[in-house]
Amino acid sequence: MGFFDAPELNHHEQVVFGYDEETGLKAIIAIHNTSLGPALGGCRVWNYESEDEALRDVLRLSEGMTYKSALAGLNLGGGKSVILGNVQELGNEAAFRAFGRLVDSLGGRYVTAEDVNTSPQMMEWVYEETDYVAGLSPELGGSGDPSPFTAWGTFVGIKSAANKAWGSDDLEGKTVAVQGLGHVGMYLVEHLSKAGAKILVTDIKENRVREMLKFKNVSAIAPDDIYDAEMDVFAPCALGSVVNDKTIDRLKCQVIAGAANNVLSDYDKHGKILLEKGILYAPDYAINAGGVINVYGEFEGYNEKRSYDRVNHIYAILQDIFDRSAQENIPTMDAADILAEERIKKIGRLKQMRRSGKRLFSKI
Ligand code: NAD
């Protein structure tokens, strides 16, 4: 594939390839769009089958970040980076400092953070070389673990979906099935339990399931049985692609709302099927934005309370998405994309005018 032919090269502003001979670091940074602000997005380490695959992945992920931050109302653009190779070989100080220098060379157009296979320690090494790293530990002035914020946003999002589906966001007596009890799922179960929901939980790790049984109204279900369970809300918080050709007809819920990324295995096809079935789907990148919303606070001087206040906006953002989807009879993912694009256009234009020194209104 020629580089400029990549179908994922969808209006990307800049793609940077970095190589450091000494450490063997091969990294790609993709900046999709900076209309609203610096391009924020994590750095993942992955042993890709080919360089093409790595390029496609980073382009797709950075575009996703543009939409996610725009929809969440943040003044951030979208970017992402990938380090190609094995984390056992590359997860060392020298390689990550080399990566830090690459990030620094962009002068703040791209801000990196933790992602799949990168750790707080690795980000501290990056921080030795550049200020353009977010989500560091509170000891270093960062906002720390984003998961509690993602979980709270997911809880708020489930309430918002309940309001649309049943005319009330009271979860008392509603059955919510939570798939995956990791960093996000475990906090979500606690919030749901306090709200009086009946919760079905599953995880491939049995100790995680046992741990959750201490909360009120929680019962366990086997990992594969979750798709057939009698439930009002399905909350995927483990893996992507769990709504697919094999599972979609098994789901008896009225709402799908969870933290996992890429829940629909085929965004267009399954989005349309859910719309036809009358199952309300809370788009993944809208409902799971709590983490990035929290990190955004670092750009202004971090304040935990302000982060939670902002995460609460996920409720209203989802209402807008659901209303738009109903008005235009389009899948909720499409409605989310439209709302994100509208904000980039509107606010991006204002920022551009400010940068170029043009006045918004002429003096009378
Ligand atoms: P995690 O790795 O801590 O937890 C995932 C859990 O899912 C683990 O306990 C794992 O055992 C379980 N699991 C894996 N396969 C399963 C299966 N087939 N059935 C049931 N359980 C299974 O991850 P996390 O940080 O809690 O994130 C959960 C999801 O939310 C991921 O898709 C992640 O991309 C997404 N997300 C997380 C954040 C965040 O702030 N952590 C932000 C945005 C999106």
Side-chain angles (χ1 to χ4, degrees):
M1 177 178 73
F3 171 66
F4 285 100
D5 302 325
E8 291 82 1
L9 191 64
N10 187 13
H11 309 294
H12 280 75
E13 287 179 13
Q14 189 178 10
V15 183
V16 178
F17 295 83
Y19 175 56
D20 181 63
E21 198 172 353
E22 198 95 325
T23 58
L25 177 88
K26 281 184 190 168
I28 313 176
I29 298 176
I31 296 178
H32 177 254
N33 189 295
T34 56
S35 300
L36 297 179
L40 174 78
C43 166
R44 63 176 57 175
V45 182
W46 200 257
N47 212 349
Y48 292 99
E49 303 247 308
S50 66
E51 290 171 2
D52 275 359
E53 190 195 358
L55 178 61
R56 277 199 298 272
D57 202 32
V58 73
L59 292 174
R60 183 181 60 83
L61 292 166
S62 62
E63 184 178 357
M65 287 306 296
T66 298
Y67 280 77
K68 184 172 190 162
S69 288
L71 186 69
L74 308 178
N75 289 316
L76 289 175
K80 202 88 183 185
S81 56
V82 293
I83 293 178
L84 290 72
N86 202 318
V87 73
Q88 278 79 32
E89 280 160 32
L90 290 162
N92 58 64
E93 180 173 358
F96 272 81
R97 289 184 74 149
F99 175 69
R101 284 197 293 279
L102 181 67
V103 171
D104 201 60
S105 72
L106 291 166
R109 279 173 54 70
Y110 169 67
V111 180
T112 197
E114 228 183 286
D115 201 84
V116 177
N117 281 333
T118 48
S119 64
Q121 169 67 78
M122 294 170 194
M123 289 302 121
E124 286 180 28
W125 289 326
V126 172
Y127 183 56
E128 293 290 334
E129 302 291 340
T130 184
D131 286 340
Y132 303 119
V133 47
L136 292 168
S137 67
E139 294 77 39
L140 290 171
S143 57
D145 180 11
S147 308
F149 296 86
T150 306
W152 180 253
T154 306
F155 173 67
V156 166
I158 290 174
K159 284 175 77 71
S160 179
N163 187 46
K164 183 72 185 177
W166 302 296
S168 159
D169 63 14
D170 187 357
L171 297 176
E172 175 110 41
K174 293 280 183 230
T175 301
V176 183
V178 181
Q179 178 186 48
L181 306 167
H183 289 90
V184 177
M186 64 175 184
Y187 291 111
L188 176 63
V189 169
E190 193 175 346
H191 298 316
L192 289 167
S193 173
K194 283 190 186 142
K198 292 183 198 148
I199 310 137
L200 299 174
V201 295
T202 195
D203 199 292
I204 48 173
K205 293 179 185 148
E206 272 179 35
N207 59 331
R208 300 218 162 151
V209 174
R210 266 199 307 277
E211 175 72 7
M212 290 298 109
L213 297 177
K214 68 182 180 212
F215 295 113
K216 222 172 70 193
N217 290 333
V218 173
S219 43
I221 186 163
D224 192 53
D225 292 347
I226 197 159
Y227 303 107
D228 305 304
E230 293 297 334
M231 56 186 165
D232 299 300
V233 180
F234 174 44
C237 296
L239 316 158
S241 295
V242 291
V243 175
N244 55 45
D245 288 345
K246 290 201 179 113
T247 59
I248 199 160
D249 286 328
R250 292 167 64 187
L251 297 169
K252 294 186 210 99
C253 56
Q254 278 175 270
V255 168
I256 300 176
N261 281 313
N262 306 316
V263 167
L264 309 185
S265 107
D266 181 329
Y267 175 123
D268 285 330
K269 177 177 166 189
H270 298 119
K272 283 191 189 121
I273 297 175
L274 293 176
L275 182 69
E276 280 159 18
K277 282 178 175 279
I279 298 179
L280 189 65
Y281 171 61
D284 48 7
Y285 74 83
I287 191 170
N288 73 18
V292 73
I293 293 172
N294 184 50
V295 162
Y296 178 67
E298 291 181 20
F299 290 75
E300 315 168 314
Y302 183 67
N303 178 295
E304 185 177 296
K305 182 179 175 303
R306 198 165 55 217
S307 276
Y308 275 111
D309 288 347
R310 272 212 183 105
V311 174
N312 284 332
H313 289 163
I314 289 176
Y315 190 104
I317 292 166
L318 282 170
Q319 292 296 303
D320 287 347
I321 293 171
F322 298 145
D323 289 348
R324 190 72 171 247
S325 156
Q327 277 156 17
E328 299 189 17
N329 196 30
I330 51 174
T332 50
M333 274 300 259
D334 293 351
D337 288 355
I338 292 170
L339 289 169
E341 282 164 14
E342 283 178 356
R343 180 160 185 270
I344 293 167
K345 262 200 204 122
K346 256 190 241 154
I347 309 298
R349 191 185 66 89
L350 296 181
K351 291 190 73 159
Q352 229 168 26
M353 292 179 88
R354 195 168 61 204
R355 268 201 296 264
S356 65
K358 280 190 199 142
R359 284 180 186 282
L360 290 180
F361 304 103
S362 55
K363 276 189 189 162
I364 298 170

